Amino acid sequence: MPLLGSLSDKYGRKAILTLPMTLMIIPLGILAYSRTKTFFYVYYVFKIIINMICDGCIPCLALAYVADNVPESGRSTAFGILSGIGSSAFVCGTLAARFLSTAQTFQGKPTISCKSKSNMPLLKALRSLQDLTSFLNSSKIITQAAIVAFFSNLADVGFHGSMM
């Protein structure tokens, strides 16, 4: 990261920002080419090496580019818009990942059954929505903890879902 930051000072933010964005595509191209065991290990090695070089530098370089090109009075708005775009990209990645079938994602048949142990459909085995809402409304602390946990989980799942 410090090396890329130094290079961006010398050669320009946009030019150096293109380098990690291009490098991050290589592992995905390897996995898109073939999903055999050998190609998965090649993907994994490239992903580790490229993440060691590029992980985290794309948002930092993008923020530095915005700071260089936006007047000081509009920077907070520009930073908010850039963060919003990144967050919505993670959410859209999660939604896209959730709507793909397992067969499309892993090129195989799903092995997880949608039935509970008692052979009852999974949704009927869960507690009712009224039970959950009454539990959440029983205490303000529980409600606040649930809200924080929900948004924290949403951010984590969005981040990991977009990477998948």
Side-chain angles (χ1 to χ4, degrees):
M1 179 69 184
L3 177 64
L4 289 175
S6 177
L7 289 173
S8 74
D9 291 338
K10 187 175 182 180
Y11 295 108
R13 308 258 191 249
K14 192 186 287 186
I16 299 302
L17 185 59
T18 329
L19 177 69
M21 292 179 80
T22 305
L23 287 175
M24 295 292 269
I25 295 171
I26 293 172
L28 297 173
I30 292 170
L31 201 57
Y33 180 75
S34 177
R35 293 186 187 179
T36 61
K37 189 175 182 179
T38 305
F39 276 93
F40 176 76
Y41 286 123
V42 171
Y43 156 80
Y44 195 67
V45 168
F46 270 88
K47 181 80 170 161
I48 289 171
I49 292 170
I50 290 173
N51 277 349
M52 285 176 17
I53 298 167
C54 302
D55 196 27
C57 73
I58 293 174
C60 293
L61 288 174
L63 288 172
Y65 180 76
V66 168
D68 290 344
N69 293 307
V70 174
E72 197 170 321
S73 62
R75 284 186 186 158
S76 61
T77 304
F79 288 162
I81 290 170
L82 186 62
S83 297
I85 290 170
S87 298
S88 57
F90 290 138
V91 170
C92 290
T94 300
L95 291 175
R98 298 298 175 229
F99 289 117
L100 288 175
S101 70
T102 305
Q104 288 175 329
T105 305
F106 297 105
Q107 294 182 352
K109 294 181 180 177
T111 56
I112 298 173
S113 173
C114 291
K115 302 250 182 200
S116 64
K117 290 180 183 178
S118 63
N119 217 9
M120 182 189 302
L122 184 62
L123 292 176
K124 289 183 180 177
L126 295 175
R127 293 183 177 255
S128 72
L129 187 59
Q130 290 176 341
D131 291 341
L132 291 174
T133 55
S134 66
F135 173 70
L136 289 174
N137 291 331
S138 65
S139 170
K140 186 176 181 180
I141 294 174
I142 292 174
T143 304
Q144 291 172 342
I147 291 170
V148 169
F150 171 76
F151 284 111
S152 175
N153 191 30
L154 180 66
D156 289 342
V157 168
F159 178 73
H160 294 294
S162 66
M163 297 298 175
M164 295 306 246

